[in-house]
Structures are given as structure tokens and as C-alpha cells.
Amino acid sequence: MLGIDDGPFEKYRPGAEAPLVGVMMEGPDLVEAVALTRFPVDGDGVTDFLGAWIESLRFRPALQAVVFGGITLAGLALLDPEALAARLGVPVLVVNRKPPANAGLREALHAAGLEARAAALERTLTAFPLGDLHASIAGASREQAALLLERTRGKSALPEALRVAHLIARAIATGESRGRA
């Protein structure tokens, strides 16, 4: 499983970029690879960017799933999990500790002058409770999502690949990691 997360970034700075970290793990305890890139804060086209980036990674042939901690990256860049799953041919799982609040995201898009992206929220997958998390999955069934989570979690509710990606992304941006992903 490849977990992808962004690190902290400077808001309101022209040309600002957020670090993106991908951590490929086998199960909950074997890190196979780490990959780094950057994406413009509030940038457009994050799904295509991620698709091309993941396809270029040397470990791409071994990839069996991708997991994200929400549909936004680098601020208000909106991920399309279904398009990414179709492009890569592997399931894309989006997990959250709380039920996703698209109303708040819609307001943030409006405040940032990115109203055109709000239409994409209507197409987002519906999240369902899955143990301690709320999850949505593209390219697989709910049962497969549950199995993926079961096989990739350690002590945390989150899949380890996502948790480790979060820790690394934060350390890159701030000098050290901390807290919950």
C-alpha cells in the first residue's frame, strides 16, 4: 500500500508549494520505499499530477492500493479518487477520523475564489463507517476496503503507510514530526 500525505505549508504566499510524501509499505511493519515531491498550494490538477508521479515510481509494479487522509492535498487541491483508481488500476482509499464535512470544504473553496471546484464535491464518494474511521473507496468494494485496512494497520487506526507518510511530511516541513495524522 502507498500512503500519501502532505506536509505543512505557507498559506497566502505566491508560488508556495507543499511537500508530498509517499510511503510504500508491505503490511503494517515493512517500509519498502519512500518518495518525495512538491505540489503548488491550492493548485489545480492534483489527480493528474499524482497519477503521473505514481506511474513514474520504480515500485509502481508492486503497488496494490493507495491511501489518502482526505480528498484535499496542499490546501484546496481536490483529489478525484475514482479517476486516480481508474488510471492506476488499483483501489484508492480515502480515510478520515471524523465524517467528512463537505459543507465546510465548499465554504473554503468559495472563500478562496475556487468555486469551480465545488462541483467536484458533488461527485465525491460517500464515506461509510469502517471501524474507528470513515472511509470511501474507488476501484474496490467495502469488504475489500475493510480487508486493506485490517492488513495495513499497526497500533493506530490509520494504515501505517499513511501514518508514516504524515510523520515524514511534517518532519520535512518543520524539522520534526509530531502527533496524529
Side-chain angles (χ1 to χ4, degrees), residues 1-3 23-31 63-68 93 95 130 133 144-164:
M1 177 179 278
L2 176 64
V23 174
M24 175 81 154
M25 292 187 69
E26 182 177 330
D29 58 0
L30 182 60
V31 175
L63 185 63
Q64 295 179 17
V66 183
V67 63
F68 294 91
L93 186 63
V95 297
L130 195 56
L133 300 173
Q144 289 169 312
L147 189 59
L148 281 169
L149 283 177
E150 179 185 321
R151 290 182 176 172
T152 59
R153 288 195 280 196
K155 292 180 180 179
S156 171
L158 296 174
E160 280 299 298
L162 180 60
R163 193 182 74 78
V164 174

PDB file of all heavy atoms in Angstrom, residues 1-3 23-31 63-68 93 95 130 133 144-164:
ATOM      1  N   MET A   1       0.848  -1.175   0.000  1.00  0.00           N
ATOM      2  CA  MET A   1       0.000   0.000   0.000  1.00  0.00           C
ATOM      3  C   MET A   1       0.894   1.240   0.000  1.00  0.00           C
ATOM      4  O   MET A   1       1.902   1.285   0.697  1.00  0.00           O
ATOM      5  CB  MET A   1      -0.905   0.002   1.222  1.00  0.00           C
ATOM      6  CG  MET A   1      -1.764   1.246   1.313  1.00  0.00           C
ATOM      7  SD  MET A   1      -2.877   1.263   2.728  1.00  0.00           S
ATOM      8  CE  MET A   1      -4.196   0.264   2.083  1.00  0.00           C
ATOM      9  N   LEU A   2       0.475   2.214  -0.782  1.00  0.00           N
ATOM     10  CA  LEU A   2       1.169   3.502  -0.833  1.00  0.00           C
ATOM     11  C   LEU A   2       0.323   4.522  -0.087  1.00  0.00           C
ATOM     12  O   LEU A   2      -0.817   4.791  -0.473  1.00  0.00           O
ATOM     13  CB  LEU A   2       1.367   3.942  -2.287  1.00  0.00           C
ATOM     14  CG  LEU A   2       1.997   5.310  -2.512  1.00  0.00           C
ATOM     15  CD1 LEU A   2       3.428   5.338  -1.986  1.00  0.00           C
ATOM     16  CD2 LEU A   2       1.959   5.679  -3.989  1.00  0.00           C
ATOM     17  N   GLY A   3       0.861   5.070   0.990  1.00  0.00           N
ATOM     18  CA  GLY A   3       0.202   6.145   1.720  1.00  0.00           C
ATOM     19  C   GLY A   3       0.780   7.467   1.275  1.00  0.00           C
ATOM     20  O   GLY A   3       2.002   7.609   1.177  1.00  0.00           O
ATOM     21  N   VAL A  23       4.729   6.796   1.039  1.00  0.00           N
ATOM     22  CA  VAL A  23       5.415   5.710   1.728  1.00  0.00           C
ATOM     23  C   VAL A  23       4.773   4.398   1.293  1.00  0.00           C
ATOM     24  O   VAL A  23       3.569   4.209   1.475  1.00  0.00           O
ATOM     25  CB  VAL A  23       5.343   5.858   3.263  1.00  0.00           C
ATOM     26  CG1 VAL A  23       5.940   4.638   3.957  1.00  0.00           C
ATOM     27  CG2 VAL A  23       6.058   7.122   3.704  1.00  0.00           C
ATOM     28  N   MET A  24       5.580   3.538   0.692  1.00  0.00           N
ATOM     29  CA  MET A  24       5.120   2.224   0.245  1.00  0.00           C
ATOM     30  C   MET A  24       5.463   1.216   1.332  1.00  0.00           C
ATOM     31  O   MET A  24       6.629   1.116   1.739  1.00  0.00           O
ATOM     32  CB  MET A  24       5.822   1.846  -1.056  1.00  0.00           C
ATOM     33  CG  MET A  24       5.514   0.461  -1.528  1.00  0.00           C
ATOM     34  SD  MET A  24       3.964   0.431  -2.369  1.00  0.00           S
ATOM     35  CE  MET A  24       4.235  -0.969  -3.419  1.00  0.00           C
ATOM     36  N   MET A  25       4.434   0.521   1.816  1.00  0.00           N
ATOM     37  CA  MET A  25       4.649  -0.474   2.870  1.00  0.00           C
ATOM     38  C   MET A  25       4.001  -1.794   2.494  1.00  0.00           C
ATOM     39  O   MET A  25       2.976  -1.819   1.820  1.00  0.00           O
ATOM     40  CB  MET A  25       4.078   0.009   4.209  1.00  0.00           C
ATOM     41  CG  MET A  25       4.830   1.197   4.778  1.00  0.00           C
ATOM     42  SD  MET A  25       4.299   1.658   6.435  1.00  0.00           S
ATOM     43  CE  MET A  25       4.881   0.274   7.400  1.00  0.00           C
ATOM     44  N   GLU A  26       4.617  -2.854   2.968  1.00  0.00           N
ATOM     45  CA  GLU A  26       4.009  -4.173   2.885  1.00  0.00           C
ATOM     46  C   GLU A  26       3.510  -4.491   4.283  1.00  0.00           C
ATOM     47  O   GLU A  26       4.298  -4.581   5.231  1.00  0.00           O
ATOM     48  CB  GLU A  26       5.029  -5.217   2.436  1.00  0.00           C
ATOM     49  CG  GLU A  26       4.414  -6.598   2.286  1.00  0.00           C
ATOM     50  CD  GLU A  26       5.389  -7.624   1.776  1.00  0.00           C
ATOM     51  OE1 GLU A  26       6.319  -7.263   1.024  1.00  0.00           O
ATOM     52  OE2 GLU A  26       5.222  -8.794   2.140  1.00  0.00           O
ATOM     53  N   GLY A  27       2.190  -4.583   4.409  1.00  0.00           N
ATOM     54  CA  GLY A  27       1.603  -4.801   5.722  1.00  0.00           C
ATOM     55  C   GLY A  27       1.827  -3.607   6.618  1.00  0.00           C
ATOM     56  O   GLY A  27       2.116  -2.504   6.161  1.00  0.00           O
ATOM     57  N   PRO A  28       1.721  -3.820   7.943  1.00  0.00           N
ATOM     58  CA  PRO A  28       1.844  -2.701   8.872  1.00  0.00           C
ATOM     59  C   PRO A  28       3.263  -2.432   9.370  1.00  0.00           C
ATOM     60  O   PRO A  28       3.471  -1.491  10.126  1.00  0.00           O
ATOM     61  CB  PRO A  28       0.963  -3.140  10.044  1.00  0.00           C
ATOM     62  CG  PRO A  28       1.105  -4.620  10.052  1.00  0.00           C
ATOM     63  CD  PRO A  28       1.214  -5.021   8.595  1.00  0.00           C
ATOM     64  N   ASP A  29       4.242  -3.228   8.913  1.00  0.00           N
ATOM     65  CA  ASP A  29       5.545  -3.072   9.553  1.00  0.00           C
ATOM     66  C   ASP A  29       6.759  -3.122   8.628  1.00  0.00           C
ATOM     67  O   ASP A  29       7.884  -3.094   9.108  1.00  0.00           O
ATOM     68  CB  ASP A  29       5.708  -4.124  10.645  1.00  0.00           C
ATOM     69  CG  ASP A  29       5.571  -5.551  10.120  1.00  0.00           C
ATOM     70  OD1 ASP A  29       5.347  -5.728   8.913  1.00  0.00           O
ATOM     71  OD2 ASP A  29       5.674  -6.477  10.931  1.00  0.00           O
ATOM     72  N   LEU A  30       6.571  -3.148   7.329  1.00  0.00           N
ATOM     73  CA  LEU A  30       7.719  -3.210   6.430  1.00  0.00           C
ATOM     74  C   LEU A  30       7.670  -2.053   5.434  1.00  0.00           C
ATOM     75  O   LEU A  30       6.861  -2.051   4.507  1.00  0.00           O
ATOM     76  CB  LEU A  30       7.744  -4.544   5.675  1.00  0.00           C
ATOM     77  CG  LEU A  30       8.932  -4.743   4.725  1.00  0.00           C
ATOM     78  CD1 LEU A  30      10.250  -4.683   5.486  1.00  0.00           C
ATOM     79  CD2 LEU A  30       8.797  -6.070   3.996  1.00  0.00           C
ATOM     80  N   VAL A  31       8.536  -1.061   5.651  1.00  0.00           N
ATOM     81  CA  VAL A  31       8.636   0.064   4.715  1.00  0.00           C
ATOM     82  C   VAL A  31       9.460  -0.399   3.523  1.00  0.00           C
ATOM     83  O   VAL A  31      10.605  -0.817   3.680  1.00  0.00           O
ATOM     84  CB  VAL A  31       9.293   1.295   5.382  1.00  0.00           C
ATOM     85  CG1 VAL A  31       9.494   2.406   4.365  1.00  0.00           C
ATOM     86  CG2 VAL A  31       8.452   1.772   6.559  1.00  0.00           C
ATOM     87  N   LEU A  63       2.588  -2.004  -6.615  1.00  0.00           N
ATOM     88  CA  LEU A  63       1.525  -1.265  -5.927  1.00  0.00           C
ATOM     89  C   LEU A  63       0.195  -2.006  -5.989  1.00  0.00           C
ATOM     90  O   LEU A  63      -0.248  -2.414  -7.060  1.00  0.00           O
ATOM     91  CB  LEU A  63       1.388   0.119  -6.565  1.00  0.00           C
ATOM     92  CG  LEU A  63       0.412   1.086  -5.916  1.00  0.00           C
ATOM     93  CD1 LEU A  63       0.845   1.409  -4.495  1.00  0.00           C
ATOM     94  CD2 LEU A  63       0.326   2.354  -6.748  1.00  0.00           C
ATOM     95  N   GLN A  64      -0.445  -2.159  -4.817  1.00  0.00           N
ATOM     96  CA  GLN A  64      -1.738  -2.842  -4.748  1.00  0.00           C
ATOM     97  C   GLN A  64      -2.868  -1.922  -4.293  1.00  0.00           C
ATOM     98  O   GLN A  64      -4.037  -2.260  -4.467  1.00  0.00           O
ATOM     99  CB  GLN A  64      -1.642  -4.040  -3.823  1.00  0.00           C
ATOM    100  CG  GLN A  64      -0.706  -5.095  -4.356  1.00  0.00           C
ATOM    101  CD  GLN A  64      -0.589  -6.274  -3.415  1.00  0.00           C
ATOM    102  OE1 GLN A  64      -1.400  -6.481  -2.533  1.00  0.00           O
ATOM    103  NE2 GLN A  64       0.455  -7.052  -3.611  1.00  0.00           N
ATOM    104  N   ALA A  65      -2.547  -0.771  -3.713  1.00  0.00           N
ATOM    105  CA  ALA A  65      -3.563   0.187  -3.270  1.00  0.00           C
ATOM    106  C   ALA A  65      -2.877   1.490  -2.900  1.00  0.00           C
ATOM    107  O   ALA A  65      -1.686   1.520  -2.608  1.00  0.00           O
ATOM    108  CB  ALA A  65      -4.340  -0.350  -2.071  1.00  0.00           C
ATOM    109  N   VAL A  66      -3.669   2.568  -2.907  1.00  0.00           N
ATOM    110  CA  VAL A  66      -3.189   3.885  -2.494  1.00  0.00           C
ATOM    111  C   VAL A  66      -4.162   4.398  -1.441  1.00  0.00           C
ATOM    112  O   VAL A  66      -5.378   4.226  -1.572  1.00  0.00           O
ATOM    113  CB  VAL A  66      -3.122   4.870  -3.679  1.00  0.00           C
ATOM    114  CG1 VAL A  66      -2.560   6.218  -3.244  1.00  0.00           C
ATOM    115  CG2 VAL A  66      -2.309   4.301  -4.828  1.00  0.00           C
ATOM    116  N   VAL A  67      -3.634   5.050  -0.393  1.00  0.00           N
ATOM    117  CA  VAL A  67      -4.488   5.581   0.664  1.00  0.00           C
ATOM    118  C   VAL A  67      -4.135   7.040   0.938  1.00  0.00           C
ATOM    119  O   VAL A  67      -2.966   7.421   0.926  1.00  0.00           O
ATOM    120  CB  VAL A  67      -4.390   4.737   1.957  1.00  0.00           C
ATOM    121  CG1 VAL A  67      -2.998   4.757   2.547  1.00  0.00           C
ATOM    122  CG2 VAL A  67      -5.425   5.176   2.985  1.00  0.00           C
ATOM    123  N   PHE A  68      -5.191   7.840   1.153  1.00  0.00           N
ATOM    124  CA  PHE A  68      -5.071   9.258   1.473  1.00  0.00           C
ATOM    125  C   PHE A  68      -5.853   9.543   2.750  1.00  0.00           C
ATOM    126  O   PHE A  68      -6.835   8.863   3.043  1.00  0.00           O
ATOM    127  CB  PHE A  68      -5.664  10.129   0.352  1.00  0.00           C
ATOM    128  CG  PHE A  68      -4.926  10.050  -0.944  1.00  0.00           C
ATOM    129  CD1 PHE A  68      -5.290   9.117  -1.901  1.00  0.00           C
ATOM    130  CD2 PHE A  68      -3.874  10.903  -1.218  1.00  0.00           C
ATOM    131  CE1 PHE A  68      -4.622   9.027  -3.109  1.00  0.00           C
ATOM    132  CE2 PHE A  68      -3.192  10.832  -2.422  1.00  0.00           C
ATOM    133  CZ  PHE A  68      -3.573   9.897  -3.376  1.00  0.00           C
ATOM    134  N   LEU A  93      -8.158   4.439  -1.544  1.00  0.00           N
ATOM    135  CA  LEU A  93      -8.904   4.521  -0.298  1.00  0.00           C
ATOM    136  C   LEU A  93      -8.685   5.901   0.313  1.00  0.00           C
ATOM    137  O   LEU A  93      -7.551   6.398   0.341  1.00  0.00           O
ATOM    138  CB  LEU A  93      -8.376   3.429   0.642  1.00  0.00           C
ATOM    139  CG  LEU A  93      -9.051   3.170   1.957  1.00  0.00           C
ATOM    140  CD1 LEU A  93     -10.473   2.696   1.755  1.00  0.00           C
ATOM    141  CD2 LEU A  93      -8.268   2.104   2.721  1.00  0.00           C
ATOM    142  N   VAL A  95      -9.450   7.888   3.874  1.00  0.00           N
ATOM    143  CA  VAL A  95      -9.878   7.675   5.256  1.00  0.00           C
ATOM    144  C   VAL A  95      -9.852   8.971   6.037  1.00  0.00           C
ATOM    145  O   VAL A  95      -9.043   9.860   5.773  1.00  0.00           O
ATOM    146  CB  VAL A  95      -9.014   6.604   5.968  1.00  0.00           C
ATOM    147  CG1 VAL A  95      -9.167   5.256   5.300  1.00  0.00           C
ATOM    148  CG2 VAL A  95      -7.555   7.006   6.028  1.00  0.00           C
ATOM    149  N   LEU A 130     -16.060   2.624   9.109  1.00  0.00           N
ATOM    150  CA  LEU A 130     -15.255   1.408   8.971  1.00  0.00           C
ATOM    151  C   LEU A 130     -14.355   1.329  10.204  1.00  0.00           C
ATOM    152  O   LEU A 130     -13.287   1.927  10.234  1.00  0.00           O
ATOM    153  CB  LEU A 130     -14.437   1.461   7.683  1.00  0.00           C
ATOM    154  CG  LEU A 130     -13.819   0.174   7.190  1.00  0.00           C
ATOM    155  CD1 LEU A 130     -14.871  -0.911   7.003  1.00  0.00           C
ATOM    156  CD2 LEU A 130     -13.109   0.391   5.871  1.00  0.00           C
ATOM    157  N   LEU A 133     -12.683   4.544  11.746  1.00  0.00           N
ATOM    158  CA  LEU A 133     -12.534   5.534  10.678  1.00  0.00           C
ATOM    159  C   LEU A 133     -13.799   5.663   9.845  1.00  0.00           C
ATOM    160  O   LEU A 133     -14.713   4.848   9.936  1.00  0.00           O
ATOM    161  CB  LEU A 133     -11.386   5.119   9.751  1.00  0.00           C
ATOM    162  CG  LEU A 133     -10.005   4.995  10.380  1.00  0.00           C
ATOM    163  CD1 LEU A 133      -9.024   4.417   9.375  1.00  0.00           C
ATOM    164  CD2 LEU A 133      -9.523   6.342  10.891  1.00  0.00           C
ATOM    165  N   GLN A 144     -13.436  -5.177   0.520  1.00  0.00           N
ATOM    166  CA  GLN A 144     -12.009  -5.097   0.192  1.00  0.00           C
ATOM    167  C   GLN A 144     -11.344  -3.944   0.949  1.00  0.00           C
ATOM    168  O   GLN A 144     -10.207  -4.054   1.387  1.00  0.00           O
ATOM    169  CB  GLN A 144     -11.822  -4.939  -1.313  1.00  0.00           C
ATOM    170  CG  GLN A 144     -12.154  -6.208  -2.078  1.00  0.00           C
ATOM    171  CD  GLN A 144     -12.236  -5.977  -3.574  1.00  0.00           C
ATOM    172  OE1 GLN A 144     -12.880  -5.039  -4.030  1.00  0.00           O
ATOM    173  NE2 GLN A 144     -11.581  -6.840  -4.326  1.00  0.00           N
ATOM    174  N   ALA A 145     -12.068  -2.823   1.113  1.00  0.00           N
ATOM    175  CA  ALA A 145     -11.529  -1.697   1.882  1.00  0.00           C
ATOM    176  C   ALA A 145     -11.280  -2.118   3.322  1.00  0.00           C
ATOM    177  O   ALA A 145     -10.233  -1.812   3.898  1.00  0.00           O
ATOM    178  CB  ALA A 145     -12.491  -0.515   1.833  1.00  0.00           C
ATOM    179  N   ALA A 146     -12.233  -2.834   3.898  1.00  0.00           N
ATOM    180  CA  ALA A 146     -12.070  -3.298   5.277  1.00  0.00           C
ATOM    181  C   ALA A 146     -10.862  -4.226   5.396  1.00  0.00           C
ATOM    182  O   ALA A 146     -10.084  -4.120   6.350  1.00  0.00           O
ATOM    183  CB  ALA A 146     -13.341  -4.000   5.740  1.00  0.00           C
ATOM    184  N   LEU A 147     -10.682  -5.105   4.431  1.00  0.00           N
ATOM    185  CA  LEU A 147      -9.552  -6.033   4.449  1.00  0.00           C
ATOM    186  C   LEU A 147      -8.225  -5.286   4.296  1.00  0.00           C
ATOM    187  O   LEU A 147      -7.250  -5.579   4.999  1.00  0.00           O
ATOM    188  CB  LEU A 147      -9.713  -7.071   3.344  1.00  0.00           C
ATOM    189  CG  LEU A 147      -8.745  -8.234   3.348  1.00  0.00           C
ATOM    190  CD1 LEU A 147      -8.822  -9.013   4.657  1.00  0.00           C
ATOM    191  CD2 LEU A 147      -9.044  -9.164   2.175  1.00  0.00           C
ATOM    192  N   LEU A 148      -8.185  -4.300   3.391  1.00  0.00           N
ATOM    193  CA  LEU A 148      -6.977  -3.488   3.220  1.00  0.00           C
ATOM    194  C   LEU A 148      -6.598  -2.804   4.536  1.00  0.00           C
ATOM    195  O   LEU A 148      -5.436  -2.807   4.935  1.00  0.00           O
ATOM    196  CB  LEU A 148      -7.177  -2.430   2.140  1.00  0.00           C
ATOM    197  CG  LEU A 148      -7.056  -2.871   0.700  1.00  0.00           C
ATOM    198  CD1 LEU A 148      -7.541  -1.763  -0.233  1.00  0.00           C
ATOM    199  CD2 LEU A 148      -5.631  -3.248   0.372  1.00  0.00           C
ATOM    200  N   LEU A 149      -7.587  -2.208   5.183  1.00  0.00           N
ATOM    201  CA  LEU A 149      -7.306  -1.527   6.453  1.00  0.00           C
ATOM    202  C   LEU A 149      -6.835  -2.513   7.508  1.00  0.00           C
ATOM    203  O   LEU A 149      -5.869  -2.255   8.231  1.00  0.00           O
ATOM    204  CB  LEU A 149      -8.542  -0.781   6.950  1.00  0.00           C
ATOM    205  CG  LEU A 149      -8.846   0.534   6.256  1.00  0.00           C
ATOM    206  CD1 LEU A 149     -10.135   1.123   6.787  1.00  0.00           C
ATOM    207  CD2 LEU A 149      -7.712   1.514   6.413  1.00  0.00           C
ATOM    208  N   GLU A 150      -7.504  -3.635   7.603  1.00  0.00           N
ATOM    209  CA  GLU A 150      -7.133  -4.643   8.601  1.00  0.00           C
ATOM    210  C   GLU A 150      -5.691  -5.105   8.424  1.00  0.00           C
ATOM    211  O   GLU A 150      -4.953  -5.263   9.390  1.00  0.00           O
ATOM    212  CB  GLU A 150      -8.078  -5.836   8.481  1.00  0.00           C
ATOM    213  CG  GLU A 150      -7.790  -6.956   9.446  1.00  0.00           C
ATOM    214  CD  GLU A 150      -8.685  -8.155   9.194  1.00  0.00           C
ATOM    215  OE1 GLU A 150      -9.873  -7.967   8.888  1.00  0.00           O
ATOM    216  OE2 GLU A 150      -8.172  -9.281   9.300  1.00  0.00           O
ATOM    217  N   ARG A 151      -5.284  -5.281   7.196  1.00  0.00           N
ATOM    218  CA  ARG A 151      -3.944  -5.815   6.913  1.00  0.00           C
ATOM    219  C   ARG A 151      -2.836  -4.772   6.979  1.00  0.00           C
ATOM    220  O   ARG A 151      -1.663  -5.128   6.937  1.00  0.00           O
ATOM    221  CB  ARG A 151      -3.935  -6.468   5.537  1.00  0.00           C
ATOM    222  CG  ARG A 151      -4.740  -7.737   5.505  1.00  0.00           C
ATOM    223  CD  ARG A 151      -4.670  -8.385   4.171  1.00  0.00           C
ATOM    224  NE  ARG A 151      -5.368  -9.663   4.186  1.00  0.00           N
ATOM    225  CZ  ARG A 151      -5.596 -10.388   3.119  1.00  0.00           C
ATOM    226  NH1 ARG A 151      -5.174  -9.978   1.935  1.00  0.00           N
ATOM    227  NH2 ARG A 151      -6.241 -11.527   3.220  1.00  0.00           N
ATOM    228  N   THR A 152      -3.197  -3.499   7.055  1.00  0.00           N
ATOM    229  CA  THR A 152      -2.157  -2.459   6.979  1.00  0.00           C
ATOM    230  C   THR A 152      -2.095  -1.568   8.211  1.00  0.00           C
ATOM    231  O   THR A 152      -1.319  -0.621   8.235  1.00  0.00           O
ATOM    232  CB  THR A 152      -2.366  -1.577   5.731  1.00  0.00           C
ATOM    233  OG1 THR A 152      -3.660  -0.972   5.790  1.00  0.00           O
ATOM    234  CG2 THR A 152      -2.223  -2.396   4.459  1.00  0.00           C
ATOM    235  N   ARG A 153      -2.879  -1.864   9.214  1.00  0.00           N
ATOM    236  CA  ARG A 153      -2.841  -1.068  10.445  1.00  0.00           C
ATOM    237  C   ARG A 153      -1.964  -1.744  11.491  1.00  0.00           C
ATOM    238  O   ARG A 153      -1.967  -2.955  11.631  1.00  0.00           O
ATOM    239  CB  ARG A 153      -4.240  -0.888  11.024  1.00  0.00           C
ATOM    240  CG  ARG A 153      -5.076   0.055  10.215  1.00  0.00           C
ATOM    241  CD  ARG A 153      -6.272   0.491  10.966  1.00  0.00           C
ATOM    242  NE  ARG A 153      -7.317  -0.535  10.902  1.00  0.00           N
ATOM    243  CZ  ARG A 153      -8.575  -0.303  11.209  1.00  0.00           C
ATOM    244  NH1 ARG A 153      -8.956   0.884  11.608  1.00  0.00           N
ATOM    245  NH2 ARG A 153      -9.451  -1.266  11.129  1.00  0.00           N
ATOM    246  N   GLY A 154      -1.244  -0.906  12.237  1.00  0.00           N
ATOM    247  CA  GLY A 154      -0.484  -1.379  13.390  1.00  0.00           C
ATOM    248  C   GLY A 154      -1.279  -1.026  14.627  1.00  0.00           C
ATOM    249  O   GLY A 154      -2.417  -1.441  14.793  1.00  0.00           O
ATOM    250  N   LYS A 155      -0.706  -0.178  15.472  1.00  0.00           N
ATOM    251  CA  LYS A 155      -1.394   0.255  16.690  1.00  0.00           C
ATOM    252  C   LYS A 155      -2.378   1.391  16.418  1.00  0.00           C
ATOM    253  O   LYS A 155      -3.287   1.622  17.187  1.00  0.00           O
ATOM    254  CB  LYS A 155      -0.373   0.706  17.734  1.00  0.00           C
ATOM    255  CG  LYS A 155       0.467  -0.417  18.274  1.00  0.00           C
ATOM    256  CD  LYS A 155       1.441   0.119  19.303  1.00  0.00           C
ATOM    257  CE  LYS A 155       2.295  -1.006  19.862  1.00  0.00           C
ATOM    258  NZ  LYS A 155       3.258  -0.506  20.849  1.00  0.00           N
ATOM    259  N   SER A 156      -2.181   2.108  15.356  1.00  0.00           N
ATOM    260  CA  SER A 156      -3.017   3.257  15.008  1.00  0.00           C
ATOM    261  C   SER A 156      -4.273   2.803  14.283  1.00  0.00           C
ATOM    262  O   SER A 156      -4.317   1.722  13.695  1.00  0.00           O
ATOM    263  CB  SER A 156      -2.217   4.192  14.104  1.00  0.00           C
ATOM    264  OG  SER A 156      -3.034   5.211  13.580  1.00  0.00           O
ATOM    265  N   ALA A 157      -5.287   3.654  14.267  1.00  0.00           N
ATOM    266  CA  ALA A 157      -6.483   3.392  13.472  1.00  0.00           C
ATOM    267  C   ALA A 157      -6.183   3.545  11.989  1.00  0.00           C
ATOM    268  O   ALA A 157      -6.841   2.946  11.147  1.00  0.00           O
ATOM    269  CB  ALA A 157      -7.607   4.346  13.882  1.00  0.00           C
ATOM    270  N   LEU A 158      -5.158   4.351  11.675  1.00  0.00           N
ATOM    271  CA  LEU A 158      -4.799   4.614  10.281  1.00  0.00           C
ATOM    272  C   LEU A 158      -3.903   3.520   9.722  1.00  0.00           C
ATOM    273  O   LEU A 158      -3.123   2.918  10.457  1.00  0.00           O
ATOM    274  CB  LEU A 158      -4.057   5.939  10.167  1.00  0.00           C
ATOM    275  CG  LEU A 158      -4.825   7.196  10.532  1.00  0.00           C
ATOM    276  CD1 LEU A 158      -3.898   8.399  10.492  1.00  0.00           C
ATOM    277  CD2 LEU A 158      -6.007   7.398   9.616  1.00  0.00           C
ATOM    278  N   PRO A 159      -3.961   3.304   8.407  1.00  0.00           N
ATOM    279  CA  PRO A 159      -2.978   2.412   7.794  1.00  0.00           C
ATOM    280  C   PRO A 159      -1.574   2.983   8.041  1.00  0.00           C
ATOM    281  O   PRO A 159      -1.363   4.199   7.972  1.00  0.00           O
ATOM    282  CB  PRO A 159      -3.323   2.465   6.306  1.00  0.00           C
ATOM    283  CG  PRO A 159      -4.729   2.949   6.250  1.00  0.00           C
ATOM    284  CD  PRO A 159      -4.908   3.836   7.437  1.00  0.00           C
ATOM    285  N   GLU A 160      -0.634   2.117   8.357  1.00  0.00           N
ATOM    286  CA  GLU A 160       0.722   2.567   8.693  1.00  0.00           C
ATOM    287  C   GLU A 160       1.372   3.369   7.576  1.00  0.00           C
ATOM    288  O   GLU A 160       2.101   4.318   7.841  1.00  0.00           O
ATOM    289  CB  GLU A 160       1.607   1.378   9.075  1.00  0.00           C
ATOM    290  CG  GLU A 160       1.401   0.907  10.487  1.00  0.00           C
ATOM    291  CD  GLU A 160       1.712   1.980  11.528  1.00  0.00           C
ATOM    292  OE1 GLU A 160       2.868   2.443  11.615  1.00  0.00           O
ATOM    293  OE2 GLU A 160       0.789   2.345  12.270  1.00  0.00           O
ATOM    294  N   ALA A 161       1.122   3.025   6.325  1.00  0.00           N
ATOM    295  CA  ALA A 161       1.733   3.764   5.219  1.00  0.00           C
ATOM    296  C   ALA A 161       1.315   5.233   5.262  1.00  0.00           C
ATOM    297  O   ALA A 161       2.137   6.134   5.038  1.00  0.00           O
ATOM    298  CB  ALA A 161       1.356   3.135   3.883  1.00  0.00           C
ATOM    299  N   LEU A 162       0.067   5.506   5.569  1.00  0.00           N
ATOM    300  CA  LEU A 162      -0.415   6.884   5.665  1.00  0.00           C
ATOM    301  C   LEU A 162       0.152   7.563   6.910  1.00  0.00           C
ATOM    302  O   LEU A 162       0.585   8.710   6.860  1.00  0.00           O
ATOM    303  CB  LEU A 162      -1.945   6.909   5.694  1.00  0.00           C
ATOM    304  CG  LEU A 162      -2.589   8.287   5.795  1.00  0.00           C
ATOM    305  CD1 LEU A 162      -2.201   9.164   4.609  1.00  0.00           C
ATOM    306  CD2 LEU A 162      -4.109   8.143   5.881  1.00  0.00           C
ATOM    307  N   ARG A 163       0.178   6.872   8.024  1.00  0.00           N
ATOM    308  CA  ARG A 163       0.705   7.439   9.265  1.00  0.00           C
ATOM    309  C   ARG A 163       2.181   7.815   9.116  1.00  0.00           C
ATOM    310  O   ARG A 163       2.600   8.912   9.496  1.00  0.00           O
ATOM    311  CB  ARG A 163       0.521   6.441  10.418  1.00  0.00           C
ATOM    312  CG  ARG A 163       0.747   7.047  11.792  1.00  0.00           C
ATOM    313  CD  ARG A 163       0.605   5.995  12.877  1.00  0.00           C
ATOM    314  NE  ARG A 163       1.757   5.110  12.900  1.00  0.00           N
ATOM    315  CZ  ARG A 163       2.941   5.427  13.435  1.00  0.00           C
ATOM    316  NH1 ARG A 163       3.132   6.605  13.977  1.00  0.00           N
ATOM    317  NH2 ARG A 163       3.932   4.554  13.423  1.00  0.00           N
ATOM    318  N   VAL A 164       2.966   6.939   8.513  1.00  0.00           N
ATOM    319  CA  VAL A 164       4.391   7.212   8.334  1.00  0.00           C
ATOM    320  C   VAL A 164       4.598   8.341   7.318  1.00  0.00           C
ATOM    321  O   VAL A 164       5.466   9.206   7.503  1.00  0.00           O
ATOM    322  CB  VAL A 164       5.151   5.928   7.937  1.00  0.00           C
ATOM    323  CG1 VAL A 164       6.602   6.228   7.594  1.00  0.00           C
ATOM    324  CG2 VAL A 164       5.078   4.901   9.072  1.00  0.00           C
TER     325      VAL A 164
END
